[in-house]
Amino acid sequence: MPDQNPIVLVTGASRGAGRGIAIALGAHGCTVYVTGRSKASGDHPLPGTIYETADAVTQAGGKGIAVACDHADDAQVEALFAQIKAEQGRLDVLVNNAAAVYDELTQPGNFWEKPLKLADMIDVGIRSSYVASWHAAPLMIGQDKALVVFTSASGAVHYALGPAYGAHKASLDKMASDMAVDFAYANSNVAAVSIWMGAVLTERLKTVIDSDREKYGTLENISESPGFTGDVVWALFNDPELAGKSGRTFIGAELAREYGITDQGRQPPSYRETHGAVPFEYFPTIIR
C-alpha cells in the first residue's frame, strides 16, 4: 500500500454509529469520505449533517470529505465512487453502514401492524451495501490490502425488532462471507468482514431509552460509544492476520478485547455474555 493515509468511505455517516466510526478513523489519520442525505440542520429530526461529520473528522486529525449521497439511488452511488477514483485512485476501507432506520422500528406491534416503510431496510441496508461493495471492489482488488466492513448486530441470529431488521442483519453477515469467497478466488488481498456492534449510545438510542426507561434503561450501562467500532475497524485493518479473518462475522466487543481496545476506559460486554448469541458458522461448500 502506498505510503499515504488510508482512504476510507463510511456510508450513512451524518449521525449515529456512522458518524462515530468516521470520526474515530479520522483520529487515526485517515482520509474519510462521509456520505448521507442530511446536508443542513432540519433535514432529519435528529441532529447531524455530512458536513458536520466531515469537519469533525478533520478536527480529529484526519481529512473529512462530505459527499451528499442517497444510497437508494444507484446513479448517486456510481457518481460517489467515480469521485473517489478520480480524487484518490484507490479505496482502502469501505464501511457499509447506511440503513433506512425509522422510529417505528422500536414501537410495539407485529410486523403487519407497523408501517410498510420498515421494509426500506431491505433497500437501504441490504441492497445499498451490495451496490457500494460492487463499486468498491474494482478500486480495491489491485491493492496490497483493503477491507470491506458491514456493521451488523446479533439480530442476525435471533428475533430483534421484527423481520425487516433481522433480514437486514442476517444478509450483511452472509454478504461478508460470500464476498470473501469471490475476493479470494480473484487472488486479491481484499478482506470482507461483518462486525456486530452492541447497543450504540447515539442520539436515537438516547431518545428510545428516554421513551421507556423501565424497558430500555439498562442499555445505558452496556452500550458502546459511537466511535468504538471505528477503533475496532482500524485495528482490524492493521492486523497482519487480516486475510485469515476474511469472510467471518465478529462480535465487536470480542475483537476489541483481542486487540486491547477499551471504550472510554471500559470493556463493553459481548453478545455472547448478554444474549447467549454468537455468529453463524457457514458451511465451507463452494458452488461456482
Side-chain angles (χ1 to χ4, degrees), residues 80-130:
L80 162 68
F81 281 91
Q83 178 180 339
I84 295 173
K85 181 178 181 179
E87 294 176 353
Q88 309 296 339
R90 73 182 211 280
L91 180 65
D92 298 299
V93 181
L94 165 64
V95 180
N96 283 304
N97 178 72
V101 181
Y102 301 108
D103 292 339
E104 291 89 345
L105 186 66
T106 58
Q107 292 179 356
N110 299 304
F111 76 89
W112 61 89
E113 297 168 319
K114 298 181 182 183
L116 186 57
K117 68 180 182 179
L118 294 187
D120 288 353
M121 292 190 81
I122 296 170
D123 186 22
V124 183
I126 300 173
R127 188 179 185 281
S128 63
S129 295
Y130 184 96

Side-chain angles (χ1 to χ4, degrees), residues 251-262:
I251 299 173
E254 295 184 356
L255 268 183
R257 293 175 192 175
E258 177 182 339
Y259 294 132
I261 297 169
T262 59

Side-chain angles (χ1 to χ4, degrees), residues 8-11 21 25 93-98 147 149-151 233:
V8 177
L9 167 59
V10 182
T11 70
I21 292 168
L25 290 168
V93 181
L94 165 64
V95 180
N96 283 304
N97 178 72
L147 174 64
V149 175
F150 299 87
T151 57
V233 169

Side-chain angles (χ1 to χ4, degrees), residues 121-286:
M121 292 190 81
I122 296 170
D123 186 22
V124 183
I126 300 173
R127 188 179 185 281
S128 63
S129 295
Y130 184 96
V131 172
S133 301
W134 187 87
H135 283 286
L139 282 173
M140 292 178 152
I141 56 176
Q143 298 172 192
D144 293 335
K145 177 175 63 173
L147 174 64
V148 176
V149 175
F150 299 87
T151 57
S152 186
S154 67
V157 299
H158 65 76
Y159 185 94
L161 307 175
Y165 181 88
H168 172 223
K169 298 307 181 186
S171 296
L172 299 184
D173 292 357
K174 188 59 164 63
M175 274 200 284
S177 177
D178 288 357
M179 286 182 185
V181 171
D182 282 353
F183 284 135
Y185 187 80
N187 293 316
S188 75
N189 294 314
V190 184
V193 304
S194 190
I195 296 177
W196 283 5
M197 299 188 296
V200 182
L201 198 58
T202 62
E203 293 300 321
R204 182 184 294 276
L205 181 58
K206 291 176 183 177
T207 300
V208 170
I209 291 171
D210 289 340
S211 71
D212 190 342
R213 285 199 158 269
E214 183 175 351
K215 182 177 181 180
Y216 298 114
T218 57
L219 290 175
E220 283 184 319
N221 297 324
I222 63 171
S223 63
E224 300 172 359
S225 70
F228 178 64
T229 298
D231 289 333
V232 172
V233 169
W234 178 249
L236 185 64
F237 177 66
N238 288 284
D239 188 340
E241 304 300 323
L242 174 60
K245 289 181 164 65
S246 187
R248 295 174 59 189
T249 295
F250 295 93
I251 299 173
E254 295 184 356
L255 268 183
R257 293 175 192 175
E258 177 182 339
Y259 294 132
I261 297 169
T262 59
D263 187 8
Q264 299 178 342
R266 54 186 282 272
Q267 199 75 62
S270 162
Y271 282 116
R272 193 186 305 267
E273 300 158 349
T274 59
H275 294 60
V278 296
F280 284 140
E281 292 289 337
Y282 296 108
F283 289 96
T285 304
I286 296 174

Side-chain angles (χ1 to χ4, degrees), residues 23 26-27 52-64:
I23 295 171
E52 291 170 357
T53 299
D55 287 345
V57 168
T58 301
Q59 292 170 12
K63 180 180 180 181

